[in-house]
Amino acid sequence: IDRVRVRGLAVTFPGSSMHALSHIRPVRLPPHLFTRAQAVLNPDPFFFHGVDQGFCPMLNRKLGCQGFGASVAAMASFPPQRYHYFLVLDFEATCDKPQIHPQEIIEFPILKLNGRTMEIESTFHTYVQPEVHPQLTPFCTELTGIIQDMVDGQPTLNQVLERVDEWMAKEGLLDPSVKSIFVTCGDWDLKLMLPGQCENLGLQVPDYFKQWINLKKAYSFAIGTWPKNGLLDMNKGMSLQHIGRPHSGIDDCRNIANIMKTLAHRGFIFKQTSRRI
């Protein structure tokens, strides 16, 4: 009796069978068979084409079936991201019907997401005192869940930006050797809202707010459909439960982080999508 190990499995053969085994030659299958097999075996919308080398489609299908219940070993083998940290951000601002001008940021949350584990490591969160329209409208409170007492006496945007910079330094995010990038659900936060309010107040926009990942674009690259209803569509498309209440800045950040984690575990590599000069 002889024993051999094939891909980690111990297999027992009678002595005479070993001689027969030595005559077996590997067969190279025609490439078109792989294409057909892929088309049949991978109707899964999370089977991504064109991701970086090292991505394993079998791992992807396993994760698609098992979700976050997959083994730790399988989870640890998803492709590495291009950034050390993702900084998930989602502003809430003063609003009304018809819209008031200028709008002002009233909630400023950031989640520091580890690019290797896709876990939240740190949180920056504050409400912001609006200065031009200090009184929140009933529509704004109903939409965001933010009441007047939550913004009264809070720091102004100028003070908040100083605190953000202090937090970034404390977290090691200003180190030139550390690659980080902001992530938003859409381009509004960093293309329009923050620059617009800073211009009104005569403030400079820090350089780290001038490039970001728009999660809607990343999701559409990965899945192939545009999420018209933002986070609600993305959660539904990936069978994820929505966290918290819509239009809560900190809850929206948690939903963004959860969607990113799911995409990353299924093989998607996040890249910068937007910038403002």
Side-chain angles (χ1 to χ4, degrees), residues 59 63 70-80 116-117 265:
L59 171 64
L63 290 172
S71 69
V72 173
M75 288 291 202
S77 61
F78 68 86
R116 189 66 194 93
T117 65
H265 282 166

Side-chain angles (χ1 to χ4, degrees), residues 122-150:
S122 182
T123 301
F124 176 92
H125 184 224
T126 185
Y127 293 99
V128 188
Q129 173 72 62
E131 300 177 80
V132 179
H133 301 287
Q135 194 70 28
L136 302 183
T137 64
F139 174 83
C140 183
T141 294
E142 182 179 355
L143 180 69
T144 66
I146 300 173
I147 63 174
Q148 191 66 40
D149 286 347
M150 295 167 72

Side-chain angles (χ1 to χ4, degrees), residues 27 54 85 94 104 137 140 149 184 196 217 233 253 258-259 273:
V27 178
Y85 297 100
T94 53
E104 299 171 88
T137 64
C140 183
D149 286 347
T184 59
K217 291 181 180 178
D233 279 358
C253 283
N258 198 32
I259 291 166
T273 64

